[in-house]
Amino acid sequence: MFEFPEFLSIPLAEWIDAGMSWLLTNWAVFFDAVGSGILFGLLHIERFLLWLPWFVIVLLVGLLAWRVMRLWWAGLLMAVFLVLIGSFGYWDLSMMTLAIIIAAVIISLALGIPTGIIMARSNLVESIIRPVLDAMQTMPSFVYLIPALMFFGLGKVPAVFATIIYAVPPVIRLTNVGIRQVSPDVVEAARAFGSSPQQILFEVQLPLAIPSIMVGINQTTMMALAMVVIASMIGARGLGLEVLLAINRIEVGRGFEAGLCIVLLAIIIDRITHALASRQEYTVQT
Amino acid sequence: MKNGNLSQNGEVCIEVSGLWKVFGSDAKEIINSEKRTASKESLLEETGCVLAVRDVSFQVNRGELFVIMGLSGSGKSTLIRCILRLIEPTAGKVLIDGEDICGYKSKRLIELRRHTTGMIFQYFGLFPHRSVLDNVAYGLKVRGVAREERYARAREVIAKVGLKEWESYPPSALSGGMQQRVGIARALATDPEILLMDEPFSGLDPLIRRQMQDELLNIQAEVQKTILFVTHDLDEALKLGNRIAIMRDGGIIQIGTPEEVITTPSDAYVREFVQDASPAKVLTAGNIMEQPNILLYEWQGPKAALHILGTTGLDNAFLVARTGKLLGLVTLKRLVELVQKGGSSLGEALEPDPLTCTPDMLLEDLFPLAASTEYPIPVVDDEGKFVGEVYTSTVLGSMIREKTEEAEAEAAKVEAGEVAAEETKTDV
Ligand SMILES: Nc1ncnc2c1ncn2[C@@H]1O[C@H](COP(=O)(O)OP(=O)(O)OP(=O)(O)O)[C@@H](O)[C@H]1O
Ligand SMILES: [Mg+2]
């Protein structure tokens, strides 16, 4: 048999480790700042959700679902789902999970929408970012836990960080697509009337890309929810941790209950954001 | 009226010189090499580049309505886009008010588009996410005009194009012709000095189309805009244009007034293009009028007039005042009667209710006049001065020619139809 020649081996792992440790020593201040920023926001969201009485949240979610889906029974159903989560005894854990999702989604949108805009405006940028996004989405989600751990240690912050990396690609992609698919005739007309590049973006391209961006937001939110379960491995408390513990201890009933709560949460979030997205079909306001 | 303002102010507003547009990666090299003379087809085959505009030069005077005409694909839209640099020209210059806009930085260009020009697109280019009102107000919005003011102005223009009830609807709720009118309103709302119109009336039904054309001529008569008007409809070009440029395969092959284009087409292509234009829609009384052999003047006595008519063998002549103003038609019969009565003033020998026409009256409109009289029709200017006469025989002759041509065409069509019908019959 032929051994694979030694001289062809590439020590990629070592390089990455070296890079990481360089980053860690030289950019420690930066990561600390980012980490405490994330933690600050996250804790406030979490505290607020836990501070609100449960029936207020149930009521708000029910009303919201009713408004966006325009069906009274859909609103009722969503409220009932939330009550179910409480009945299983997972209210607080669900709110913690929700807090991580909200924090991760907000940051994802804040990063992703501008990135998508930049990507849409330059073919060069698009050709650079596109393969990165592809790689991000094909990578097993566990992989993101490693750099998250290294930068931020154990806890909630790395969970949010890993969730962002996992969840941000759809909103970038769909912002890009949404802007690019705006009819060139319309953009040309805007140019002909003397719109500045900003005016073209804010008056024409972004409004017309909103349906697409909303789909991106929906997908990003769903991916954030999926990642939260995995992120519990690095210390995020919440529903994910319950599932993880149940698996370790082979407690089928407990695992099922926690899993069901995740599914219910997913349905609520998905239905509401989905309805928001499909409502955006060019509503003309005067 | 029609061509009157062409020569009176010769100030150039838009000047295009040596403009080229080649779509494709090595466009610049093509037009700098000997390939620039190659035909559009061979260029596409050899290099994969599309030649859209080839070495176009023309000038549009201020207040002129300049029509660009040509078949589909001849480069009209590309040319008109290059003038605003919506498409960057490959080579050549575009001067607006004497300034080379190809040298403009993007800021200046935006200012130009905001304040000086307005454009109507062949495919509308309306904003689907905005109401008709917001679409029309858009040009004012980017200019920074306050909300109330721009809506007031937009409503005014929307009413003008007859879409008052539709202002709060999105464009998708409107028919194609209505959308086109929104596009027209959007361009008019900013009241630009220069209007670029790419087949603005193509999608409209004949009635509204005629209304819009007339409205455009009205605007033009009121507030002399400089208009570049693209169309592929010859009748429209002839009706609206002060001058017409005819394009083929990206190049301009003739520029001239409607009369010139009709009467002296520069080559076979143009001739073919204009052959089915009816001269009656283009030629005016001024084009076909002649100078009479004799005129009678009011200070002449009846006997002298009789003598003049007698020596020339005519049985009528026009009577003109000292100022050149037309007084009417004197006929031999009445003149003889007057002399027998012993009258002293030629004014008593005038035919009652004389017909007149103006130099810009279309042949088409002369037909009814010509049919109602046996005498020549005098042509008078705005002040009533006599400038020439039109023979009814000329007018009616051209009408007959036109009618027989139409009839022949009809007959040919019918024949072809019958042949086709027979063929299908035999097929069965
Ligand atoms: N963006 C483009 N890329 C490549 N070729 C183009 C582009 N735009 C126009 N062309 C080509 O340029 C030529 C002229 O097109 P243009 O649209 O100016 O014609 P047109 O005279 O306006 O025709 P129509 O009457 O059908 O509107 C055509 O051969 C067309 O294929
Ligand atoms: Mg065109």
Side-chain angles (χ1 to χ4, degrees):
Chain A
M1 289 294 279
F2 295 103
E3 289 283 322
F4 194 79
E6 190 73 18
F7 65 90
L8 274 180
S9 72
I10 296 173
L12 184 63
E14 280 166 38
W15 293 346
I16 290 177
D17 289 349
M20 284 297 274
S21 62
W22 180 84
L23 270 180
L24 280 175
T25 45
N26 292 286
W27 286 74
V29 183
F30 171 75
F31 288 117
D32 282 351
V34 170
S36 43
I38 292 177
L39 192 65
F40 180 82
L42 179 63
L43 287 180
H44 276 80
I45 296 170
E46 193 178 293
R47 223 169 276 157
F48 177 69
L49 287 177
L50 289 173
W51 171 81
L52 279 179
W54 67 269
F55 49 86
V56 174
I57 295 181
V58 169
L59 206 67
L60 287 179
V61 168
L63 281 176
L64 181 66
W66 170 49
R67 294 302 306 159
V68 299
M69 289 187 252
R70 300 202 181 99
L71 292 170
W72 63 268
W73 57 263
L76 190 65
L77 195 65
M78 295 304 129
V80 168
F81 283 177
L82 259 189
V83 173
L84 270 179
I85 291 177
S87 328
F88 293 140
Y90 285 108
W91 185 266
D92 286 5
L93 288 179
S94 296
M95 289 305 120
M96 287 176 193
T97 302
L98 196 58
I100 294 178
I101 294 171
I102 291 174
V105 168
I106 289 174
I107 299 172
S108 295
L109 300 188
L111 296 174
I113 293 176
T115 311
I117 292 171
I118 295 168
M119 200 173 157
R121 316 201 96 194
S122 147
N123 288 333
L124 178 72
V125 175
E126 189 192 33
S127 62
I128 295 168
I129 295 186
R130 183 180 284 279
V132 175
L133 292 183
D134 289 341
M136 280 166 86
Q137 284 191 305
T138 44
M139 197 91 83
S141 41
F142 296 98
V143 177
Y144 297 129
L145 299 179
I146 301 163
L149 263 179
M150 294 188 65
F151 290 138
F152 302 107
L154 279 173
K156 291 186 168 156
V157 175
V160 173
F161 180 82
T163 307
I164 292 168
I165 297 184
Y166 184 69
V168 81
V171 73
I172 297 181
R173 241 185 242 284
L174 282 150
T175 303
N176 173 43
V177 169
I179 291 177
R180 280 178 184 267
Q181 75 178 8
V182 172
S183 153
D185 286 353
V186 175
V187 176
E188 182 181 48
R191 285 210 297 144
F193 282 92
S195 314
S196 64
Q198 292 90 293
Q199 283 171 327
I200 292 176
L201 181 66
F202 289 108
E203 301 281 346
V204 178
Q205 290 176 315
L206 276 183
L208 287 174
I210 279 180
S212 173
I213 295 175
M214 289 305 294
V215 172
I217 293 177
N218 171 267
Q219 288 187 9
T220 286
T221 314
M222 296 318 290
M223 290 184 67
L225 183 69
M227 187 62 189
V228 159
V229 179
I230 295 158
S232 63
M233 288 179 174
I234 49 175
R237 291 181 55 212
L239 293 172
L241 187 65
E242 282 300 298
V243 178
L244 201 67
L245 291 177
I247 293 171
N248 286 345
R249 298 179 194 158
I250 322 181
E251 295 178 74
V252 181
R254 185 177 172 192
F256 186 82
E257 245 179 16
L260 190 61
C261 287
I262 291 174
V263 172
L264 291 175
L265 212 52
I267 293 175
I268 295 169
I269 295 173
D270 179 56
R271 287 296 91 199
I272 290 176
T273 53
H274 182 85
L276 271 178
S278 47
R279 255 169 56 121
Q280 292 299 325
E281 296 293 328
Y282 304 153
T283 42
V284 170
Q285 65 287 72
T286 358
Chain B
M1 198 176 90
K2 198 165 176 207
N3 302 308
N5 49 33
L6 169 63
S7 46
Q8 81 195 17
N9 49 5
E11 192 192 345
V12 175
C13 182
I14 305 172
E15 179 173 359
V16 175
S17 60
L19 193 83
W20 288 78
K21 179 65 202 182
V22 178
F23 289 103
S25 45
D26 31 44
K28 277 239 153 62
E29 284 111 73
I30 288 174
I31 63 164
N32 290 325
S33 69
E34 73 280 7
K35 285 202 197 110
R36 73 206 309 250
T37 55
S39 80
K40 188 171 169 171
E41 290 76 33
S42 67
L43 207 62
L44 182 62
E45 221 164 79
E46 275 173 41
T47 62
C49 293
V50 182
L51 191 150
V53 174
R54 179 204 294 272
D55 199 14
V56 161
S57 304
F58 61 88
Q59 298 183 339
V60 184
N61 296 320
R62 192 174 306 286
E64 191 180 14
L65 203 162
F66 189 90
V67 174
I68 299 171
M69 202 174 63
L71 297 176
S72 192
S74 54
K76 309 180 294 292
S77 298
T78 310
L79 173 60
I80 204 170
R81 284 188 165 101
C82 284
I83 288 170
L84 269 193
R85 279 177 65 196
L86 293 172
I87 294 178
E88 287 295 337
T90 314
K93 265 196 212 155
V94 177
L95 275 71
I96 293 183
D97 294 331
E99 290 188 45
D100 183 4
I101 66 151
C102 295
Y104 273 13
K105 294 261 182 318
S106 63
K107 258 235 170 70
R108 278 298 297 282
L109 194 59
I110 286 173
E111 287 301 305
L112 176 85
R113 291 170 179 167
R114 274 184 195 170
H115 296 284
T116 315
T117 62
M119 184 150 178
I120 299 168
F121 291 89
Q122 186 175 5
Y123 302 109
F124 321 149
L126 299 180
F127 306 120
H129 59 300
R130 288 168 185 274
S131 66
V132 167
L133 185 66
D134 277 311
N135 263 283
V136 174
Y138 186 80
L140 296 168
K141 183 174 189 183
V142 293
R143 256 191 211 178
V145 175
R147 194 186 162 91
E148 291 310 314
E149 196 183 331
R150 65 171 191 259
Y151 280 173
R153 168 72 186 150
R155 289 205 172 91
E156 215 174 280
V157 191
I158 290 172
K160 215 179 210 169
V161 298
L163 292 175
K164 209 166 188 166
E165 303 78 47
W166 295 91
E167 62 174 45
S168 58
Y169 288 86
S172 55
L174 275 60
S175 74
M178 290 155 87
Q179 292 186 22
Q180 185 59 288
R181 281 185 275 162
V182 177
I184 294 168
R186 183 174 61 178
L188 293 179
T190 54
D191 197 23
E193 189 189 313
I194 299 172
L195 269 171
L196 306 174
M197 310 173 93
D198 193 353
E199 308 204 12
F201 303 149
S202 300
L204 306 180
D205 61 75
L207 186 69
I208 296 181
R209 185 173 182 149
R210 192 159 336 117
Q211 278 173 10
M212 301 297 271
Q213 288 171 347
D214 292 341
E215 181 64 23
L216 187 68
L217 287 174
N218 280 343
I219 293 177
Q220 196 58 357
E222 272 169 40
V223 282
Q224 305 266 303
K225 305 226 174 272
T226 305
I227 302 178
L228 208 59
F229 191 102
V230 170
T231 181
H232 58 235
D233 177 2
L234 183 67
D235 282 337
E236 188 168 73
L238 296 175
K239 177 173 179 183
L240 299 176
N242 294 131
R243 282 187 302 151
I244 300 174
I246 297 179
M247 283 186 85
R248 180 179 52 179
D249 291 344
I252 289 184
I253 50 179
Q254 183 171 13
I255 299 183
T257 62
E259 289 83 358
E260 284 166 3
V261 171
I262 291 280
T263 51
T264 53
S266 69
D267 65 6
Y269 178 82
V270 181
R271 197 168 312 128
E272 201 164 309
F273 213 106
V274 300
Q275 71 179 5
D276 40 58
S278 103
K281 290 199 169 95
V282 199
L283 293 181
T284 59
N287 292 126
I288 59 165
M289 73 181 181
E290 288 166 36
Q291 289 308 316
N293 288 339
I294 55 157
L295 279 178
L296 297 177
Y297 296 93
E298 64 176 335
W299 63 85
Q300 290 169 332
K303 285 201 177 126
L306 190 59
H307 177 73
I308 294 170
L309 280 186
T311 50
T312 48
L314 293 170
D315 67 349
N316 63 67
F318 291 110
L319 182 63
V320 177
R322 224 170 271 282
T323 52
K325 196 166 165 343
L326 176 78
L327 296 173
L329 182 76
V330 174
T331 59
L332 188 59
K333 192 165 146 249
R334 280 177 177 264
L335 192 57
V336 171
E337 277 168 19
L338 182 69
V339 171
Q340 282 168 352
K341 267 196 301 186
S344 62
S345 160
L346 273 181
E348 295 164 42
L350 289 178
E351 279 284 303
D353 311 325
L355 300 165
T356 58
C357 66
T358 50
D360 57 16
M361 204 156 163
L362 288 175
L363 209 47
E364 196 173 39
D365 303 325
L366 280 174
F367 290 153
L369 290 185
S372 68
T373 177
E374 61 207 87
Y375 299 113
I377 304 168
V379 184
V380 295
D381 65 11
D382 295 342
E383 288 149 25
K385 282 189 187 153
F386 179 85
V387 290
E389 64 180 3
V390 173
Y391 289 110
T392 51
S393 55
T394 321
V395 176
L396 295 176
S398 78
M399 179 167 78
I400 290 162
R401 209 174 320 128
E402 176 153 291
K403 282 276 177 281
T404 47
E405 268 167 21
E406 255 171 43
E408 272 165 21
E410 278 298 306
K413 249 186 238 162
V414 170
E415 235 166 68
E418 273 167 10
V419 173
E422 265 165 35
E423 270 172 12
T424 49
K425 250 185 241 160
T426 49
D427 278 355
V428 174

